[in-house]
Coordinates of all heavy atoms in Angstrom, one line a residue:
A1 N 0.9 -1.2 0.0 CA 0.0 0.0 0.0 C 0.9 1.2 0.0 O 2.0 1.2 0.6 CB -0.9 0.0 1.2
V2 N 0.3 2.3 -0.6 CA 0.9 3.6 -0.6 C 0.0 4.6 0.1 O -1.1 4.7 -0.3 CB 1.3 4.1 -2.0 CG1 1.9 5.5 -2.0 CG2 2.2 3.1 -2.8
S3 N 0.6 5.3 1.1 CA -0.3 6.2 1.8 C 0.1 7.6 1.6 O 1.3 7.9 1.2 CB -0.2 5.8 3.3 OG 1.1 6.2 3.8
E4 N -0.7 8.6 1.9 CA -0.5 10.0 1.8 C 0.6 10.3 2.8 O 1.5 11.1 2.5 CB -1.7 10.9 2.0 CG -2.7 10.8 0.9 CD -4.0 11.6 1.2 OE1 -4.0 12.4 2.1 OE2 -4.9 11.3 0.5
E5 N 0.6 9.7 3.9 CA 1.5 9.9 5.0 C 3.0 9.6 4.4 O 3.9 10.3 4.7 CB 1.2 9.1 6.2 CG 2.2 9.3 7.4 CD 1.8 8.5 8.5 OE1 1.0 7.5 8.5 OE2 2.3 8.8 9.7
E6 N 3.0 8.4 3.8 CA 4.3 8.0 3.2 C 4.9 9.0 2.2 O 6.0 9.3 2.3 CB 4.2 6.6 2.6 CG 5.4 6.2 1.9 CD 5.3 5.0 1.0 OE1 4.1 4.3 1.0 OE2 6.2 4.6 0.3
E7 N 4.0 9.4 1.3 CA 4.4 10.4 0.3 C 4.8 11.6 0.9 O 5.9 12.3 0.5 CB 3.2 10.6 -0.7 CG 3.0 9.4 -1.6 CD 2.0 9.7 -2.7 OE1 2.3 10.5 -3.6 OE2 0.9 9.2 -2.5
A8 N 4.2 12.1 2.0 CA 4.5 13.4 2.6 C 5.9 13.3 3.3 O 6.6 14.2 3.3 CB 3.4 13.8 3.6
E9 N 6.0 12.1 4.0 CA 7.3 11.9 4.8 C 8.5 11.6 4.0 O 9.6 12.1 4.3 CB 7.0 10.7 5.8 CG 7.3 11.2 7.2 CD 7.0 10.0 8.1 OE1 8.0 9.3 8.4 OE2 5.9 9.9 8.7
T10 N 8.3 10.7 2.9 CA 9.5 10.3 2.1 C 9.6 11.0 0.8 O 10.6 10.9 0.2 CB 9.4 8.8 1.9 OG1 8.3 8.5 1.1 CG2 9.3 8.1 3.2
G11 N 8.5 11.6 0.3 CA 8.5 12.3 -1.0 C 8.3 11.3 -2.1 O 8.5 11.7 -3.3
Q12 N 8.1 10.0 -1.8 CA 7.9 9.0 -2.8 C 6.7 8.1 -2.5 O 6.4 7.8 -1.4 CB 9.1 8.2 -3.0 CG 10.3 9.0 -3.5 CD 11.5 8.0 -3.7 OE1 11.7 7.1 -3.0 NE2 12.4 8.5 -4.6
A13 N 6.2 7.5 -3.6 CA 5.1 6.5 -3.4 C 5.7 5.2 -3.9 O 6.1 5.1 -5.1 CB 3.9 6.8 -4.3
V14 N 6.0 4.3 -3.0 CA 6.6 3.0 -3.3 C 5.8 1.9 -2.9 O 5.3 1.8 -1.8 CB 8.0 2.9 -2.7 CG1 8.7 1.6 -3.0 CG2 8.9 4.0 -3.1
S15 N 5.5 0.9 -3.8 CA 4.8 -0.3 -3.5 C 5.7 -1.4 -3.7 O 6.4 -1.7 -4.7 CB 3.6 -0.5 -4.5 OG 2.9 -1.6 -4.2
V16 N 5.8 -2.3 -2.6 CA 6.7 -3.4 -2.6 C 5.9 -4.6 -2.4 O 5.1 -4.8 -1.5 CB 7.7 -3.3 -1.4 CG1 8.6 -4.5 -1.3 CG2 8.6 -2.0 -1.5
L17 N 6.2 -5.6 -3.3 CA 5.5 -6.8 -3.3 C 6.3 -7.9 -2.7 O 7.4 -8.3 -3.2 CB 5.1 -7.3 -4.7 CG 4.1 -6.3 -5.5 CD1 3.9 -6.8 -6.8 CD2 2.9 -6.0 -4.7
M18 N 5.9 -8.4 -1.5 CA 6.5 -9.5 -0.9 C 5.5 -10.5 -0.5 O 4.3 -10.3 -0.6 CB 7.3 -9.0 0.4 CG 8.5 -8.1 0.0 SD 9.3 -7.3 1.4 CE 9.9 -8.7 2.3
F19 N 5.9 -11.8 -0.2 CA 4.9 -12.8 0.1 C 5.0 -13.4 1.5 O 6.0 -13.7 2.0 CB 5.2 -14.0 -0.9 CG 4.3 -15.1 -0.9 CD1 3.1 -15.0 -1.4 CD2 4.7 -16.3 -0.3 CE1 2.2 -16.0 -1.5 CE2 3.8 -17.4 -0.3 CZ 2.5 -17.2 -0.8
P20 N 3.8 -13.4 2.2 CA 3.7 -14.0 3.5 C 4.0 -15.5 3.4 O 3.2 -16.2 2.9 CB 2.4 -13.7 4.0 CG 1.6 -13.3 2.9 CD 2.5 -12.9 1.7
W21 N 5.2 -16.0 3.9 CA 5.6 -17.3 3.6 C 5.2 -18.3 4.7 O 4.9 -19.5 4.4 CB 7.2 -17.3 3.5 CG 7.8 -18.5 3.1 CD1 8.4 -19.5 3.8 CD2 7.8 -19.1 1.7 NE1 8.9 -20.5 3.0 CE2 8.4 -20.3 1.7 CE3 7.2 -18.6 0.5 CZ2 8.6 -21.1 0.6 CZ3 7.4 -19.4 -0.6 CH2 8.1 -20.6 -0.5
S22 N 5.3 -17.9 6.0 CA 4.8 -18.7 7.1 C 4.3 -17.9 8.1 O 4.1 -16.6 8.0 CB 6.0 -19.5 7.6 OG 6.9 -18.7 8.3
A23 N 4.0 -18.5 9.3 CA 3.4 -17.7 10.4 C 4.3 -16.6 10.9 O 3.7 -15.6 11.5 CB 3.1 -18.6 11.6
Q24 N 5.6 -16.6 10.7 CA 6.5 -15.6 11.2 C 7.4 -15.1 10.1 O 8.5 -14.4 10.4 CB 7.3 -16.1 12.4 CG 6.4 -16.4 13.6 CD 5.7 -15.1 14.1 OE1 4.6 -15.3 14.7 NE2 6.1 -13.9 13.9
T25 N 7.2 -15.5 8.8 CA 8.2 -15.2 7.8 C 7.6 -14.5 6.5 O 6.5 -14.9 6.1 CB 9.0 -16.5 7.4 OG1 9.4 -17.1 8.6 CG2 10.1 -16.2 6.5
V26 N 8.3 -13.7 6.0 CA 7.9 -13.0 4.7 C 9.1 -13.3 3.7 O 10.2 -13.3 4.0 CB 7.8 -11.5 4.8 CG1 7.7 -10.8 3.5 CG2 6.5 -11.2 5.7
R27 N 8.7 -13.6 2.4 CA 9.7 -13.9 1.5 C 9.8 -12.8 0.4 O 8.8 -12.4 -0.2 CB 9.3 -15.3 0.8 CG 10.2 -15.8 -0.3 CD 9.7 -17.1 -0.7 NE 10.5 -17.7 -1.8 CZ 10.1 -18.0 -3.0 NH1 8.9 -17.7 -3.4 NH2 10.9 -18.5 -3.9
A28 N 11.1 -12.5 0.0 CA 11.4 -11.5 -0.9 C 12.3 -12.2 -1.9 O 13.2 -12.8 -1.6 CB 12.0 -10.2 -0.3
V29 N 12.0 -12.0 -3.2 CA 12.8 -12.6 -4.3 C 13.1 -11.5 -5.4 O 12.3 -10.7 -5.8 CB 12.0 -13.7 -5.0 CG1 12.8 -14.4 -6.1 CG2 11.5 -14.8 -4.0
W30 N 14.4 -11.5 -5.8 CA 15.0 -10.7 -6.8 C 15.0 -11.3 -8.1 O 15.2 -12.5 -8.2 CB 16.3 -10.1 -6.4 CG 16.2 -8.9 -5.6 CD1 16.5 -7.6 -5.9 CD2 15.8 -8.9 -4.2 NE1 16.2 -6.8 -4.8 CE2 15.8 -7.6 -3.7 CE3 15.4 -9.9 -3.3 CZ2 15.5 -7.2 -2.4 CZ3 15.1 -9.5 -2.0 CH2 15.1 -8.2 -1.6

């Protein structure tokens, strides 16, 4: 998600897609 707060604070709108892998883990792949 991109929020107005993020854009105001960071000056950018960035959406990052990661995958909830397990009960305590998120997976990122390049």
Side-chain angles (χ1 to χ4, degrees):
V2 175
S3 67
E4 289 178 14
E5 181 182 18
E6 174 191 356
E7 289 187 73
E9 234 179 88
T10 66
Q12 294 184 328
V14 176
S15 179
V16 176
L17 302 178
M18 292 172 61
F19 185 75
W21 190 253
S22 72
Q24 295 300 151
T25 310
V26 169
R27 181 175 180 244
V29 180
W30 273 254

